[in-house]
Amino acid sequence: ATVTTVSFPDRHFIAGGCTEYAGSGDLDEMLIRWSDQEDFTDFGPTSTNSAGDQRLEVGTKIVSIVNAREETIISTDSAIYGIFSFRLLATDCGAAGLNTMIAIDGNVFWMGKRNFFSYDGIVKELPSSVQYYVFDRMQKRYIDKVVVGHNKAFKEVTWWYVSNDNSAGTTNPEN
């Protein structure tokens, strides 16, 4: 699996980017699998447990999974889904990388490839006075290194990214 979480409040172990159960062993970067409730070792779906899987359709790989209010949110590289209902919530808004999504007080915030987004039951673009500054200065080749943080005292969400102004240049720079 490439990304994992435990769903809240039902406590299934969820893995994204998986191999099929009893399949060929080939990685399917769009496959979500979940364990039986409260048994994080049982991924074999049967008529007596709640384990299962679902292949997502929009995107090429699952990027991140976070828990929100009463829902677990999955981001592919181009779309946002709610898990277990597998509702497609929005397209052209996938998370930029594994560490670009954060859940705060039941809402989810993330950096996409061109903008910032939030989810409070509805996916929305976040208004940002620094959007063009950030995305015009970012080394997009290293977008998977973006990390999000939360400053609770000031109710701020911050993303750290590799800038074109990075002193390491383009040879494996860090945020």
Side-chain angles (χ1 to χ4, degrees), residues 29-30 55-62 76-79 81 91:
E29 294 191 278
M30 291 293 287
R55 186 169 198 288
L56 305 179
E57 296 298 321
V58 180
T60 62
K61 67 180 179 178
I62 295 166
T76 70
D77 54 355
S78 60
Y81 286 86
T91 59

Side-chain angles (χ1 to χ4, degrees), residues 5-7 10-15 33-45 49-53 84:
T5 194
V6 175
S7 63
D10 54 346
R11 300 188 42 77
H12 289 86
F13 184 70
I14 301 170
R33 291 184 54 202
W34 59 93
S35 70
D36 188 25
Q37 188 173 21
E38 298 290 340
D39 184 352
F40 304 144
T41 63
D42 185 3
F43 279 85
N49 74 15
S50 59
D53 61 22
F84 296 130

Side-chain angles (χ1 to χ4, degrees), residues 87-107:
R87 285 183 310 140
L88 177 62
L89 301 174
T91 59
D92 196 27
C93 62
L98 174 64
N99 298 309
T100 62
M101 296 184 88
I102 191 168
I104 303 168
D105 298 330
N107 298 322

Side-chain angles (χ1 to χ4, degrees), residues 19 31 46 67 74 81 87 90-91 107 135 143 147 157-158 168:
T19 58
L31 182 67
T46 68
N67 289 306
I74 303 168
Y81 286 86
R87 285 183 310 140
T91 59
N107 298 322
F135 290 96
I143 199 165
V147 177
V157 177
T158 304

Side-chain angles (χ1 to χ4, degrees), residues 20 26 37 40 47 61 69 94 118 121 140 144 146-147 160:
E20 290 181 23
D26 294 334
Q37 188 173 21
F40 304 144
S47 61
K61 67 180 179 178
R69 294 174 193 252
S118 69
K140 299 240 180 346
D144 60 327
V146 173
V147 177
W160 288 272

